[in-house]
Amino acid sequence: MAKNMLEVKGLTTKYVTRFHEDVYAVDHVSLTIEEGKSLGIAGESGCGKSTLALSLMGYYFAPLHYMSGDIIVDGKNISGLDPDTVRKTVLGSDVAYIPQAAMNALNPTRKISDFIVDVIRAHDPKSNKNDIRDMARKRFEELHLPDEALDKYAVELSGGMKQRVVIAISTILSPKVLIADEPSSALDVTSQKVVIKMLREMMEKGFIKSMIFITHELPLLYNVTDDIMVMYAGQIVEKGTAKEMVFDPVHPYSRGLMHSILVPEDGTRDNKLIAIPGTPPNLKNPPQGCRFAERCKYAQPSCKFSAPPLIEFGEGRSYRCAYSVEHLKEVYASED
């Protein structure tokens, strides 16, 4: 039986505004990732993807606050730990994070090798600088990165190279869970392929034990992850294998995401974009019922007053909707 690298149980986190308003951006989220597996998280901007990523590190600073739930990494519960303990014992070694706009995350006045020294010495202050450099050179070689990049400044590297270097720095301690927050969004298609290939190779070589890949492009995840989870307004609305989620989404929101993106393989002449109407709800005052009801063309009046639970069906699949899976598929079939 495969070992769980990450178990999240009922995680709830919130932002507190300067007017002391609570914004529950992650609302009772649960998930599991096995060793050697990857999970994709998709959804519109503002649905809670990046907040979930920050929350999973257990590293909380205002205005983000931990409320409840468990975050278990390789059997160790990291929820509720103080920030200093998390920084010294969790970040980088248990959980590593590649932020959005990672290309701009490097201080332009420092060499690449300096960042690696900082990461390793945060966990082992007595580490020898020469030993660290040898370790970094070997890792760069294994990832097909030129070792001369260690002596360069960020401004001397191309955009694609900076992104790959950031990934190498973030994973230098071989974390158990890597959280990649839209790591390819600012890159051209060729550089995106290189980054995705690099992440796959790191999984294959065991440099990272499991991965979460966040994006708003659901089809992209089909080529990157084993499973996909769709978020909406801070909640999980559907989860399944990558193939199931791309080719057979059940929840109306998941289906809407797929129809709002053109897939080149399908051609563009007879396949037009279908936008999801409306905007996500204000999480300072979330709807009483289904959070997608105001935008869902299948919603009944009762959907606005009764919040559906997350229902499991099939093996490893779940969705959050008042309609049965059979009814939704019948409706979709009639439309197609």
Side-chain angles (χ1 to χ4, degrees), residues 10-147:
L11 181 62
T12 299
T13 63
K14 70 177 182 180
Y15 291 105
V16 179
T17 72
R18 62 192 180 95
F19 300 109
H20 304 291
E21 299 166 309
D22 293 336
V23 180
Y24 287 89
V26 175
D27 193 354
H28 291 88
V29 168
S30 298
L31 59 92
T32 300
I33 307 177
E34 295 179 348
E35 183 175 1
K37 297 294 184 178
S38 55
L39 171 68
I41 301 179
E44 294 170 290
S45 296
C47 72
K49 305 186 302 296
S50 293
T51 302
L52 175 60
L54 294 172
S55 300
L56 291 178
M57 294 189 293
Y59 201 50
Y60 298 96
F61 284 99
L64 180 61
H65 298 268
Y66 166 81
M67 296 304 296
S68 61
D70 295 316
I71 306 166
I72 303 169
V73 181
D74 194 20
K76 179 172 68 176
N77 196 329
I78 66 170
S79 52
L81 296 177
D82 66 271
D84 193 52
T85 300
V86 172
R87 183 176 61 82
K88 291 180 179 180
T89 65
V90 175
L91 298 183
S93 55
D94 287 339
V95 182
Y97 178 61
I98 302 171
Q100 289 190 46
M103 291 186 295
N104 301 320
L106 300 174
N107 185 330
T109 66
R110 304 189 69 195
K111 292 183 178 180
I112 300 303
S113 58
D114 294 334
F115 297 109
I116 297 176
V117 170
D118 287 348
V119 170
I120 294 177
R121 283 188 171 171
H123 293 264
D124 185 4
K126 296 181 180 180
S127 296
N128 181 279
K129 193 170 184 179
N130 290 330
D131 292 340
I132 294 175
R133 185 176 179 83
D134 289 340
M135 175 183 175
R137 186 184 294 111
K138 181 180 179 181
R139 177 59 60 88
F140 270 44
E141 181 181 328
E142 291 171 326
L143 295 176
H144 313 294
L145 289 168
D147 58 8

Side-chain angles (χ1 to χ4, degrees), residues 80-81 133 251 292 311:
L81 296 177
R133 185 176 179 83
H251 194 280
F292 188 60
I311 302 171

Side-chain angles (χ1 to χ4, degrees), residues 161-211:
M161 180 62 74
K162 277 192 284 188
Q163 186 73 301
R164 292 162 64 197
V165 165
V166 168
I167 293 172
I169 294 171
S170 299
T171 59
I172 194 68
L173 293 175
S174 299
K176 298 178 177 66
V177 181
L178 173 66
I179 303 172
D181 194 353
E182 302 203 38
S184 61
S185 61
L187 302 175
D188 58 79
V189 174
T190 301
S191 295
Q192 284 183 353
K193 289 182 177 179
V194 172
V195 166
I196 289 172
K197 181 181 178 181
M198 180 179 179
L199 290 170
R200 282 177 173 170
E201 189 174 344
M202 294 178 77
M203 288 280 290
E204 292 169 0
K205 291 184 176 181
F207 295 157
I208 53 179
K209 301 298 183 183
S210 62
M211 179 175 68

Side-chain angles (χ1 to χ4, degrees), residues 260-310:
S260 64
I261 299 173
L262 288 176
V263 180
E265 290 79 6
D266 293 340
T268 57
R269 179 173 297 179
D270 299 319
N271 293 278
K272 297 182 179 180
L273 293 175
I274 303 175
I276 302 174
T279 57
N282 187 339
L283 293 182
K284 289 189 290 187
N285 186 26
Q288 177 182 346
C290 173
R291 295 186 178 183
F292 188 60
E294 289 291 341
R295 305 175 69 188
C296 181
K297 66 179 181 179
Y298 311 110
Q300 298 295 316
S302 59
C303 294
K304 298 181 180 181
F305 302 101
S306 178
L310 192 65

